[in-house]
Amino acid sequence: MHPVPARPSRARRAWGETWRVLAALFAGLTVLLLVAWEADTGDRQVSDAQAALDLAVGVLGLGLLLLRRKAPLTVALVLCAASAVSVTVVGAEAIAAVSLATSRRWWKIAAVGVVFVVAGRVYSVLHPYVAPEPYEGWVDLLTGVLVYALFVWIGAYIGLRREHLASLRERAETAEREQAGRVAQARTAERTRIAREMHDVLAHRISLVAMHAGALAYRTDLPPEKVAETAAVVQTNAHAALAELREVLGVLRDPAAPAAPEPPQPTFADLDALLAEARANGADVRLDARPDGTDGLGEVVSRHAYRIVQEGLTNARKHAPWAPVTVTVSGAPGAGLTIVVRNPVRSVGPARQGEAPPDSGLGLVGLAERVDLVGGRLSHGVTTTDGTTGAGGGAQFRLEAWLPWAA
């Protein structure tokens, strides 16, 4: 299957047809004048009627040449047959033969070639020389074959060149589409990464705001200094959430704008700071165990481990505010890193905090994606103190993740 070349503009097509018709007319009139000169010198027998017919057929051939793209075989056969009585049509005949050869349909080319050679011999019989040579017939046949072979070679070369250019154009367009697809895919992946990071950060901030705002709403017995302290926590975390949200919206609104340097992402080395911040905001968080050598975790695994603990604290604040949270970290190089975050299902704080904040369900989904990316495992659910599933009086929510830790 040959590639389809791009369609030229209307003006370019009109100019292409115009110069071809003018070239065919020039070639036909040139050969007609040569035959007329031979007739005038007495070398060839040409009557006035034959000359008039020759010119008329040549003019009709020029009009027929314009239809060669719609019916190339028919036009080529008619023009070649017309050359038996007209030399004025040889220019249109040559262009039609070249045009047919561009398709490289060899049985069609062979059929037109037979008509071309026979018509040339017929013209020599109808317009003989006064003193013909004995071998003139063979010369006419050989000349016809060689001339037609030249037309076929030119047409085949033009066809191959067009297909080559069309193939190059198609490759360039395909490469541009693939490059655009890769750019769009990279942009989507980056936006997904940004959305995952911002979900973790904003959920952490908003859960703090919701927990302390709930305390202000339901603890009417708090002293003024405690109210001011809690309101300051709400204000600080709300401002931090707005700043982080404004930053990510700026990136997503104008992806073509130069991005500001991205701040360093927290890693597992910042775990103590995360727990200290949670305790400073009123949470009861305990680090049950932590192995040595966690500084040797890879950057990606270390960042995912930090986000797992952060999401566990966020979920505890959302669904069990003021409840104690226990974080257990265990493992060793080569055996993997295990992180467990546990908290009671029911709140044990001094007062109920009202309805729980809406649960998007995306936090645990994002954690599962993080863990899958590094070949880890993630499990979560409600268990009892003896390890069985269910929601009894001692039920607790357990988030457990295992991450690979290279030796």
Side-chain angles (χ1 to χ4, degrees):
M1 185 174 183
H2 303 299
V4 179
R7 292 182 61 85
S9 63
R10 181 176 299 179
R12 187 175 178 181
R13 291 198 302 271
W15 166 244
E17 295 297 333
T18 301
W19 78 259
R20 285 177 174 82
V21 170
L22 293 177
L25 177 62
F26 176 77
L29 291 178
T30 300
V31 179
L32 179 63
L33 289 176
L34 178 61
V35 172
W37 178 79
E38 291 178 342
D40 187 59
T41 58
D43 293 337
R44 186 186 288 269
Q45 299 176 8
V46 180
S47 65
D48 294 339
Q50 288 176 326
L53 178 63
D54 192 320
L55 184 61
V57 171
V59 173
L60 293 177
L62 294 176
L64 188 61
L65 182 64
L66 299 176
L67 303 177
R68 73 187 186 282
R69 297 188 185 277
K70 294 183 178 180
L73 178 61
T74 302
V75 170
L77 287 173
V78 172
L79 291 178
C80 288
S83 66
V85 295
S86 172
V87 293
T88 313
V89 81
V90 295
E93 175 190 30
I95 293 177
V98 170
S99 180
L100 177 67
T102 58
S103 66
R104 303 195 306 282
R105 301 294 189 268
W106 300 112
W107 70 269
K108 296 181 181 180
I109 295 173
V112 174
V114 172
V115 177
F116 180 91
V117 174
V118 171
R121 180 57 187 156
V122 170
Y123 183 87
S124 297
V125 173
L126 295 178
H127 306 79
Y129 284 100
V130 175
E133 298 291 339
Y135 49 83
E136 181 179 339
W138 292 105
V139 172
D140 289 342
L141 291 177
L142 182 59
T143 302
V145 171
L146 294 177
V147 171
Y148 186 72
L150 177 63
F151 292 159
V152 171
W153 179 83
I154 295 174
Y157 171 77
I158 293 174
L160 286 172
R161 185 172 180 274
R162 286 177 181 174
E163 291 179 4
H164 179 64
L165 292 177
S167 176
L168 293 179
R169 187 182 301 110
E170 183 179 358
R171 290 181 184 179
E173 293 174 353
T174 302
E176 290 179 0
R177 288 194 299 268
E178 292 177 351
Q179 177 64 18
R182 285 193 294 268
V183 170
Q185 185 178 6
R187 183 180 296 117
T188 301
E190 182 63 15
R191 291 190 175 193
T192 302
R193 186 191 67 81
I194 293 174
R196 185 187 297 120
E197 296 290 341
M198 293 311 300
H199 171 271
D200 294 342
V201 175
L202 289 178
H204 176 71
R205 299 291 184 187
I206 298 302
S207 64
L208 284 172
V209 171
M211 185 177 70
H212 288 84
L216 291 177
Y218 289 92
R219 288 294 304 274
T220 58
D221 57 338
L222 293 176
E225 60 272 9
K226 191 63 177 179
V227 172
E229 179 183 347
T230 305
V233 173
V234 172
Q235 183 184 38
T236 300
N237 284 279
H239 287 174
L242 286 175
E244 290 159 352
L245 182 61
R246 189 180 301 113
E247 178 183 350
V248 71
L249 288 180
V251 174
L252 296 179
R253 282 174 181 167
D254 190 8
E262 188 176 354
Q265 294 294 324
T267 63
F268 201 63
D270 302 310
L271 178 63
D272 292 335
L274 175 65
L275 299 181
E277 180 187 8
R279 296 188 186 104
N281 288 300
D284 182 7
V285 181
R286 184 182 66 179
L287 181 59
D288 198 16
R290 180 177 181 178
D292 296 329
T294 54
D295 294 340
L297 288 171
E299 181 181 356
V300 176
V301 174
S302 183
R303 183 168 64 250
H304 291 344
Y306 177 91
R307 293 302 187 191
I308 290 170
V309 176
Q310 185 183 55
E311 182 64 23
L313 297 178
T314 301
N315 286 337
R317 278 194 297 267
K318 289 170 60 177
H319 303 289
W322 310 106
V325 182
T326 302
V327 179
T328 304
V329 183
S330 60
L337 182 71
T338 301
I339 301 173
V340 180
V341 182
R342 305 189 308 274
N343 62 270
V345 173
R346 293 180 176 83
S347 173
V348 296
R352 293 183 59 83
Q353 304 301 317
E355 294 183 0
D359 184 11
S360 66
L362 298 179
L364 295 176
V365 174
L367 289 186
E369 292 179 354
R370 289 179 180 275
V371 172
D372 286 341
L373 286 175
V374 296
R377 298 187 298 271
L378 180 73
S379 62
H380 56 82
V382 178
T383 62
T384 59
T385 54
D386 58 359
T388 60
T389 58
Q396 60 180 0
F397 186 84
R398 180 185 177 93
L399 173 64
E400 181 175 352
W402 179 88
L403 301 175
W405 185 356

